[in-house]
Amino acid sequence: MSNSTDDLLPVGLSDRLPEEAAIATRVMRAALQAMDAHGYDRVRPPLIEFEKSMAERMDGVSPRRMFRFVDPGSLRTLALRSDMTVQVGRIAATSLAGAPRPLRLCYAGEVATITADQLDPSRQRLQIGAELIGADSAAAAAEMVELAIESLKAAGATGISVDFTLPDLVDTLSAQTMPLDETQIEAVRRELDTKDAGGLKAAGGDAYLPLLYATGDFADSIARLAELDAGGALASRIEGLKTIASRVGGSARVTLDPTERHGFEYQSWFGFTIYAQGVRGALGRGGTYTIGGSDEAATGFSLYVDRLVDALDSDSQRDTLFLPVGHDRAAAAALRANGWRTVAALSEQDDAGALRCTHVLSGEQPKPL
């Protein structure tokens, strides 16, 4: 007899049983179909790559969060992917370097990390996303936000809200209208991110205090941000945010938190976080960035839909047709071709009800149980 602890899963990992697995498959297919409808071609990068390649393609992707091991063939260090965005960047910079721009790609797959995020105990997640390679304009960003919203709605999410941010806000202001020493910049970023007014003063960022209050509903917050931008350093970004918000229109609630940086380690001038009603925490993030190595501009988003899967109703009531021993095989095949799900009896003792069937094949026609 085996020890019961042998079957325990590591912390942060879990099984998806049939009903949950069915929802996850439905969510993934719906999101990918929405992306495909907008011209995004799916790519399928490998689960494992050389550590150096993934680490150098994107700032903020730390090898310390990746499972790493030595490849017995090349004797180089391999890493299990923790973020598929960097892999799409590699594909765009290598195999598809000569493809016309802007290049539209989408993806879906499992990612894993050594340690969990403080707000999410999972170490394995289903990541679905899209990347627009070769553009980081307001128009490109607006397309990404709209596509993220549409993809989540297709997957079953409701009550969607989007929170905009400006990841390079401190860099932009400190270089012009609100000067800071090099030693102060990181401290000011950190205190703004934690919304700590006292810490911000202590870091020498008194001039940045009003930014803590330029948050909330988009229309009000963008107006407050514009009032603070006396020197015009943020003028182009403010106009870009307005353009994106106008494109989103009535499809989602839009808010603004210009100093938010959590989860935006490699984004440049624009970032966004997306939420849905009844789902705890963020469902995804996106924004503009530069692909490491090729220095090509890009805009994209990643959705982590496991929490949405947990919130959606299961497919447990799906119609299922029981096929008795000796059933008409041609009729059963024709019904499957029309969308029926069938379960065939292996013996006379098989019970349609116990096998959770809703109908039984009688002759050539389904009959409700």
Side-chain angles (χ1 to χ4, degrees):
M1 181 179 294
S2 64
N3 190 323
S4 60
T5 60
D6 293 342
D7 294 325
L8 293 177
L9 291 173
V11 173
L13 304 179
S14 62
D15 293 314
R16 286 288 189 192
L17 299 182
E19 291 183 4
E20 294 175 325
I23 299 172
T25 301
R26 186 182 73 199
V27 164
M28 183 176 68
R29 286 177 176 170
L32 288 173
Q33 285 174 356
M35 296 172 191
D36 179 76
H38 284 272
Y40 285 76
D41 296 316
R42 185 179 181 184
V43 291
R44 296 187 65 186
L47 185 64
I48 299 167
E49 290 196 26
F50 289 119
E51 174 200 24
K52 186 176 181 181
S53 174
M54 286 199 277
E56 292 181 350
R57 284 291 173 191
M58 206 78 69
D59 291 336
V61 178
S62 174
R64 289 176 296 179
R65 298 195 68 207
M66 301 178 189
F67 286 95
R68 292 167 289 170
F69 47 95
V70 175
D71 178 14
S74 66
L75 299 182
R76 294 175 61 186
T77 302
L78 300 177
L80 181 64
R81 67 188 180 202
S82 62
D83 185 345
M84 294 182 71
T85 305
V86 296
Q87 297 183 292
V88 177
R90 174 187 54 75
I91 290 172
T94 55
S95 303
L96 296 178
R101 264 47 175 178
L103 177 64
R104 290 173 168 85
L105 301 175
C106 65
Y107 58 87
E110 300 287 339
V111 296
T113 57
I114 290 178
T115 58
D117 186 275
Q118 291 182 347
L119 301 177
D120 185 354
S122 299
R123 293 196 291 162
Q124 179 178 342
R125 297 187 291 174
L126 174 59
Q127 182 182 1
I128 306 172
E131 309 298 329
L132 184 53
I133 312 294
D136 65 352
S137 63
E143 180 171 316
M144 284 289 97
V145 176
E146 286 185 302
L147 183 58
I149 293 170
E150 186 172 330
S151 298
L152 282 177
K153 286 186 174 180
T158 58
I160 294 175
S161 62
V162 184
D163 189 43
F164 293 171
T165 188
L166 296 172
D168 69 350
L169 180 65
V170 173
D171 296 311
T172 302
L173 292 176
S174 64
Q176 299 184 44
T177 56
M178 299 181 185
L180 292 171
D181 293 336
E182 287 291 330
T183 56
Q184 294 177 300
I185 292 177
E186 186 56 40
V188 169
R189 282 200 199 106
R190 183 179 62 251
E191 302 306 334
L192 282 172
D193 196 19
T194 58
K195 309 295 187 289
D196 186 345
L200 190 57
K201 288 182 179 180
D206 298 67
Y208 290 77
L209 283 170
L211 292 172
L212 295 176
Y213 308 101
T215 63
D217 179 74
F218 181 80
D220 294 335
S221 298
I222 200 70
R224 287 195 291 270
L225 188 62
E227 290 174 0
L228 297 172
D229 187 34
L234 302 177
S236 62
R237 284 164 174 73
I238 290 172
E239 286 306 310
L241 291 176
K242 289 180 178 178
T243 298
I244 301 166
S246 67
R247 283 274 298 272
V248 174
S251 61
R253 178 174 178 260
V254 180
T255 58
L256 173 64
D257 184 351
T259 66
E260 175 65 43
R261 279 184 55 81
H262 178 73
F264 297 99
E265 289 81 7
Y266 58 76
Q267 273 76 16
S268 54
W269 74 270
F270 172 70
F272 70 94
T273 307
I274 192 162
Y275 304 87
Q277 184 177 354
V279 180
R280 181 175 56 86
L283 275 174
R285 290 185 177 87
T288 57
Y289 62 96
T290 300
I291 298 173
S294 66
D295 293 328
E296 187 171 19
T299 310
F301 65 84
S302 293
L303 305 175
Y304 296 95
V305 298
D306 290 282
R307 289 176 176 173
L308 177 62
V309 171
D310 294 335
L312 293 175
D313 293 332
S314 71
D315 292 329
S316 58
Q317 299 304 311
R318 181 179 175 187
D319 284 348
T320 302
L321 180 64
F322 180 73
L323 306 177
V325 173
H327 66 272
D328 187 325
R329 299 179 64 83
L335 288 165
R336 280 193 293 270
N338 286 329
W340 277 92
R341 182 172 186 251
T342 65
V343 172
L346 300 179
S347 71
E348 295 289 353
Q349 286 69 46
D350 285 351
D351 181 83
L355 294 174
R356 302 175 66 187
C357 295
T358 58
H359 295 70
V360 62
L361 183 63
S362 178
E364 298 182 358
Q365 298 298 320
K367 179 181 178 183
L369 286 175

